[in-house]
Amino acid sequence: MAPITDVPTLTPPSRSVVRAYIAIGANLGDAPQQVVTAARDLQRLGAAWVCSSLYRTAPQGASGPDYVNAVVGLDTLLTAPDLLDELQRLELAAGRERPYPNAPRTLDLDIVLYGDARIDSARLQIPHPRMWSRAFVLVPLQEIAPNRVDACHLHALADQAIRRI
């Protein structure tokens, strides 16, 4: 029997790098340190990384201590669902509990944008459905990606107090 010589080599399809923007928030424990630690942890999930300044905001739709927020831009090869899995793993490692909606939290990580993707599934919605109504997302996002935030959106949120720390 002759050896088979003309067998094509199968290579897995390559993935393109995607710029994802992750909103980070915390209002329990050492919130500023939680946000900084989460930003550093996110850096390990991608090739390039940029982080906004930290901002302080009052909780929306809930009571509790003020939040510390930031947004990270991350170039990643992860799919959006795989990225969500990694974010939830980081939240759990930081002691995140979900006793009720809008509960205070040690860490909250949300994918707000994933390239130009539009995803609407039971588990994941991108762009994040409430990002356009939250100064704590748009102000830090505008800092690191001014082309992704329209001035009209920011103007509409002028009544939401947000302070760079």
Side-chain angles (χ1 to χ4, degrees):
M1 184 181 261
I4 301 173
T5 57
D6 292 325
V7 176
T9 303
L10 298 176
T11 57
S14 61
R15 293 203 36 80
S16 297
V17 173
V18 175
R19 172 61 59 102
Y21 292 95
I22 313 300
I24 307 172
N27 74 335
L28 293 178
D30 186 349
Q33 187 57 52
Q34 289 282 74
V35 171
V36 168
T37 298
R40 287 187 184 137
D41 289 342
L42 288 172
Q43 188 174 13
R44 295 185 206 127
L45 300 179
W49 168 91
V50 61
C51 185
S52 73
S53 301
L54 300 183
Y55 292 85
R56 186 171 300 281
T57 60
Q60 287 188 356
S63 60
D66 284 352
Y67 275 86
V68 174
N69 301 98
V71 170
V72 165
L74 176 71
D75 290 346
T76 184
L77 290 170
L78 294 171
T79 65
D82 288 344
L83 181 57
L84 178 61
D85 289 341
E86 289 298 318
L87 298 183
Q88 290 177 342
R89 183 185 59 74
L90 291 172
E91 287 177 339
L92 286 173
R96 170 76 189 263
E97 296 178 358
R98 299 173 190 269
Y100 55 88
N102 297 325
R105 52 202 73 163
T106 55
L107 184 62
D108 185 31
L109 299 169
D110 290 317
I111 304 171
V112 293
L113 295 169
Y114 183 83
D116 292 322
R118 302 227 177 262
I119 301 171
D120 189 7
S121 71
R123 186 168 178 246
L124 183 60
Q125 292 181 303
I126 297 175
H128 192 285
R130 292 174 302 283
M131 71 179 278
W132 303 111
S133 63
R134 295 175 166 175
F136 66 83
V137 172
L138 293 187
V139 170
L141 178 60
Q142 192 273 336
E143 179 186 329
I144 63 172
N147 61 327
R148 300 302 301 246
V149 179
D150 186 300
C152 294
H153 285 113
L154 287 174
H155 180 71
L157 304 178
D159 63 329
Q160 293 181 23
I162 181 167
R163 180 174 51 92
R164 182 187 269 174
I165 55 175

